Amino acid sequence: MFGDHAVNPPVVLAPMAGITNVAFRRLCREQGGGVYVCEMITTRALVERIPKTLKMIAFAEDEGFRSLQLYGVDPDVTAAAVRMVGEDNLADHIDLNFGCPVPKVTRRGGGSALPWRRRLFGRIVSQAVAAAKPFGIPLTIKMRKGIDDDHLTYVEAGLAAQEAGVTAVALHARTAEQRYSGQADWDAIATLKQALDVPVLGNGDIWEGSDALRMVEHTGCDGVVVGRGCLGRPWLFADLEAAFTQGADYRPVLPTLGEVSKIIARHAQLLVEALEDERHGCADFRKHVAWYLKGFPVGGELRRSLAMISSLAELDDLLAKLDPAVPFPVEALGQPRGRVNAPGKVSLPHGWLDSRDDETVPEGAETDDSGG
Ligand SMILES: Cc1cc2nc3c(=O)[nH]c(=O)nc-3n(C[C@H](O)[C@H](O)[C@H](O)COP(=O)(O)O)c2cc1C
């Protein structure tokens, strides 16, 4: 799937901007096997060696397979970024992001808008593959189905990427128009799997280990990419490993509120260590609180206070108010978490849809904004 690197179980933590940093990856990695992708890095910021960007490329010493996602719109800048990853030995695997649906990005022709410009897409991917080759770095891509149902690109883009030499292709089976709404179209993953010889990774709506098994059965995909399902639930990776080794009869991990509190405290502590600043680490942790407490009977005031912490001591005091014996709310299993926003018309540059073979590099499409 990723060159010579065997992935067992065939599970990938999806890159999620603002989430999959070194702290969160550690919590997830401790639960089970797989590949755990770093937050997305913008190619231009990387080649310009912006300090904040360089800091984001942080891997723990025990991260055996360092996986990095890059986002770029310019073939030369992307190739330069890939070369830099190789020369500076920053990662062992590079994924290219073509899935971002954020209007600020698509409006300028980046992210999920880009594969529509097939020649430009082909150049970005082939120059990146060529740049990665001397370093033996496997290169993969992650994309959506297309811009909308009338402008699907995934099969053509998958074939082009395969031709360019990628080692695997991941499909988030939604269009950009869908954003995170509705259900992922697993039939599209099956279609892509049939069309390609390289491994296909399926992505979209895996909330439980059993969903991963269903996706593999339904689509024949070679592995699964898991995003929102693990928000506030790093132990999902234990369930995924159990599902792949034991089959559908695996027993899901159901932590009590006390056990979840310990993970919350550890997550915040790891963020503080990663960001080397207690206030900053605590502020970064706040977005995770609602996910960890989803379904648990915890009052609004305590939830709000937890989501406003600015020190680890404050967090400990608040966690002490939770009843550790409360069992896991099983009704929260299988439920969507994280972003589930409504569909929206995709903003595109003027004339974007009329000229598929235009290779002009979009301007201003590499912002710090991110998403997939
Ligand atoms: C908060 C958040 C940030 C994301 N950031 C990225 C990103 O930087 N790169 C990317 O390829 N996808 C990104 N995604 C998309 C996920 O990788 C994944 O494709 C999507 O959530 C669908 O998978 P899921 O149904 O398992 O969540 C992001 C998603 C979320 C919720």
Side-chain angles (χ1 to χ4, degrees):
M1 233 180 310
F2 301 101
D4 296 336
H5 184 76
V7 186
N8 193 15
V11 172
V12 178
L13 164 65
M16 287 185 281
I19 310 282
T20 59
N21 51 29
V22 66
F24 186 67
R25 290 199 310 279
R26 175 181 290 279
L27 286 180
C28 296
R29 286 189 299 119
E30 285 170 356
Q31 298 288 334
V35 165
Y36 295 85
V37 188
C38 180
E39 292 179 273
M40 185 191 90
I41 302 292
T42 301
T43 48
R44 190 169 295 279
L46 182 60
V47 297
E48 287 173 4
R49 294 187 182 265
I50 307 286
K52 188 174 146 223
T53 302
L54 294 180
K55 247 191 139 170
M56 282 168 71
I57 310 180
F59 291 98
E61 264 178 27
D62 64 346
E63 262 178 287
F65 187 67
R66 298 164 302 161
S67 174
L68 185 68
Q69 188 185 53
L70 296 180
Y71 162 74
V73 295
D74 182 323
D76 295 334
V77 176
T78 305
V82 170
R83 253 191 316 277
M84 181 175 155
V85 171
E87 280 163 3
D88 294 4
N89 186 21
L90 299 177
D92 305 304
H93 160 237
I94 295 173
D95 182 52
L96 294 184
N97 177 3
F98 294 102
C100 183
V102 175
K104 213 159 117 184
V105 167
T106 58
R107 196 186 301 134
R108 298 185 187 275
S112 53
L114 203 138
W116 181 256
R117 289 273 165 104
R118 53 191 163 198
R119 291 196 188 194
L120 179 62
F121 171 80
R123 275 185 54 209
I124 295 173
V125 179
S126 45
Q127 284 190 220
V129 169
K133 204 167 178 185
F135 303 99
I137 296 177
L139 197 122
T140 59
I141 63 156
K142 180 164 173 286
M143 61 182 174
R144 287 188 176 231
K145 280 171 64 185
I147 291 174
D148 55 35
D149 283 343
D150 295 327
H151 303 90
L152 297 176
T153 46
Y154 66 102
V155 174
E156 189 182 348
L159 287 167
Q162 172 173 284
E163 176 76 26
V166 301
T167 62
V169 172
L171 178 65
H172 176 193
R174 283 186 172 82
T175 60
E177 183 180 43
Q178 283 179 287
R179 304 205 180 145
Y180 292 88
S181 69
Q183 269 192 323
D185 171 14
W186 289 4
D187 288 345
I189 299 170
T191 302
L192 187 64
K193 173 65 193 162
Q194 295 219 322
L196 299 190
D197 297 322
V198 293
V200 168
L201 299 164
N203 175 226
D205 299 350
I206 291 178
W207 310 111
E208 304 298 332
S210 50
D211 294 331
L213 297 184
R214 276 196 309 112
M215 181 191 272
V216 170
E217 192 175 282
H218 186 88
T219 67
C221 66
D222 302 275
V224 297
V225 182
V226 179
R228 294 163 298 163
C230 68
L231 295 175
R233 223 164 56 123
W235 56 89
L236 178 60
F237 290 96
D239 288 351
L240 288 160
E241 176 151 335
F244 278 108
T245 50
Q246 298 160 33
D249 292 337
Y250 78 95
R251 285 173 56 157
V253 178
L254 300 173
T256 60
L257 188 50
E259 288 163 334
V260 171
S261 297
K262 287 195 182 124
I263 296 176
I264 288 178
R266 180 128 189 279
H267 192 167
Q269 171 74 42
L270 288 170
L271 277 173
V272 167
E273 284 167 21
L275 298 172
E276 297 168 342
D277 181 272
E278 182 161 352
R279 266 192 97 79
H280 192 178
C282 287
D284 198 64
F285 177 74
R286 293 173 188 165
K287 64 181 129 188
H288 297 273
V289 169
W291 296 324
Y292 276 113
L293 296 181
K294 188 176 164 74
F296 278 108
V298 176
E301 201 180 319
L302 188 48
R303 279 173 189 267
R304 273 192 296 281
S305 304
L306 280 163
M308 280 166 31
I309 54 149
S310 41
S311 75
L312 292 174
E314 193 186 343
L315 176 63
D316 281 347
D317 287 347
L318 292 167
L319 291 176
K321 296 184 183 173
L322 299 173
D323 176 356
V326 175
F328 190 84
V330 286
E331 61 281 4
L333 294 176
Q335 296 297 319
R337 42 180 63 226
R339 290 177 189 172
V340 282
N341 54 11
K345 195 168 159 36
V346 184
S347 312
L348 296 167
H350 183 70
W352 189 256
L353 294 175
D354 306 330
S355 41
R356 291 206 69 190
D357 293 325
D358 190 334
E359 292 182 48
T360 315
V361 173
E363 265 179 50
E366 284 177 294
T367 68
D368 262 343
D369 230 307
S370 44

